[in-house]
Amino acid sequence: MLDRRDNGVCIVTLNRPRTLNAFNAELHHALPILLAELDDDVDVRAVVLTGAGNAFSSGGDRSSMGGDIDLTEKRRSFRAGRRLIENLLALHVPLIAAVNGPAVGLGATIATAADLVLMSDSAFLADTHVTVGLVAGDGGALTWPALVGLLRAKEYLLTGDRLTAQKALEFGLANRVCPADQLMTEALAMAGRIARLAPQAVQDTKQLLNQQLRVAAVAVLGQGLAAETVSQFTPEYRASRERFAARGRG
């Protein structure tokens, strides 16, 4: 994961391009720690989060699918998932997601938990948990209803269908759609503009707005992560793991 800071703006890059920036255990652990570090950095006024290569993030690292499920590791993953969402919501400075490519599963959750979302015109969002036999419990059930309304959230979380950048803009999951070669320029310009404003006014306004999500997270996130963990022991998820592992062997 790359981290660069300049003139009050920090750029954080999910840097596993060969896996489409999928979240393995290391990245699950590292990103919440970095967010906590940024939360303590008085010189940071805005953060831009993007992905290396052609994707924002493909979600959980499916290369780990296959083999036995380790309960200790799943409990650790539960804690890391909760810490990630809580730290995203608690970050005191505005977080801008520059969605440069597919944002899938956890990747979509992270994008929709940002304060502002700019998308490349070739990017898309999709919460595909149910398509592999998992509960959409790592934050999608928290962020999507807040942004698009309950009925639309149900449609996309219960089917795993993808949303194009233009449809995401129409539904309220994105603030702007940009040509791919202009995405970071637009994101950095927005971050720079915010960084030049009065920090207490900006940061406490963000905190007031995010309080609605933090209250909802108390009600939703623990149950969602627990249900997602349970779903990893179902025959449907096991079958999905086996199919993926077989494709890797082939």
Side-chain angles (χ1 to χ4, degrees):
M1 186 165 51
L2 302 178
D3 170 19
R4 181 165 62 86
R5 308 178 195 194
D6 186 37
N7 295 323
V9 175
C10 178
I11 302 172
V12 176
T13 305
L14 305 175
N15 193 33
R16 302 187 70 226
R18 291 184 178 181
T19 66
L20 302 180
N21 304 315
F23 272 74
N24 59 2
E26 182 180 355
L27 187 53
H28 257 296
H29 181 69
L31 184 55
I33 291 175
L34 176 58
L35 290 169
E37 177 189 320
L38 293 173
D39 204 43
D40 286 336
D41 190 334
V42 296
D43 294 322
V44 172
R45 301 287 185 87
V47 176
V48 175
L49 176 64
T50 193
N54 298 319
F56 182 75
S57 173
S58 59
D61 190 347
R62 298 190 70 188
S63 67
S64 63
M65 295 178 74
D68 295 331
I69 296 176
D70 183 274
L71 182 58
T72 299
E73 178 57 31
K74 291 305 171 189
R75 293 180 66 234
R76 180 179 181 275
S77 177
F78 180 106
R79 295 191 298 272
R82 182 162 197 154
R83 188 162 55 244
L84 173 57
I85 300 304
E86 289 176 344
N87 287 8
L88 281 167
L89 296 180
L91 183 66
H92 74 288
V93 299
L95 174 67
I96 299 170
V99 183
N100 56 304
V104 178
L106 179 58
T109 296
I110 291 171
T112 56
D115 301 302
L116 296 165
V117 181
L118 277 63
M119 294 183 67
S120 161
D121 53 11
S122 60
F124 65 84
L125 300 174
D127 193 316
T128 56
H129 282 78
V130 295
T131 66
V132 295
L134 291 174
V135 173
D138 63 7
L142 168 68
T143 59
W144 286 61
L147 298 173
V148 303
L150 189 56
L151 281 178
R152 278 181 171 163
K154 287 179 178 178
E155 177 181 350
Y156 286 93
L157 269 63
L158 292 174
T159 64
D161 287 349
R162 68 176 56 178
L163 276 166
T164 65
Q166 286 295 335
K167 188 65 72 173
L169 180 65
E170 176 187 335
F171 282 3
L173 287 168
N175 296 91
R176 298 182 189 176
V177 174
C178 313
D181 61 353
Q182 298 177 25
L183 177 66
M184 284 303 293
T185 299
E186 291 281 343
L188 290 172
M190 182 175 288
R193 177 182 176 190
I194 290 171
R196 291 189 293 272
L197 296 172
Q200 185 272 335
V202 168
Q203 292 163 18
D204 286 358
T205 296
K206 174 202 161 146
Q207 291 301 311
L208 285 171
L209 293 168
N210 264 15
Q211 185 63 16
Q212 301 175 63
L213 284 173
R214 286 197 296 270
V215 169
V218 172
V220 172
L221 190 57
Q223 181 179 346
L225 287 167
E228 184 175 347
T229 301
V230 169
S231 64
Q232 294 177 32
F233 294 88
T234 64
E236 293 82 6
Y237 179 67
R238 288 182 181 274
S240 177
R241 283 164 55 93
E242 291 168 3
R243 287 193 300 271
F244 187 82
R247 286 202 298 271
R249 291 191 297 269

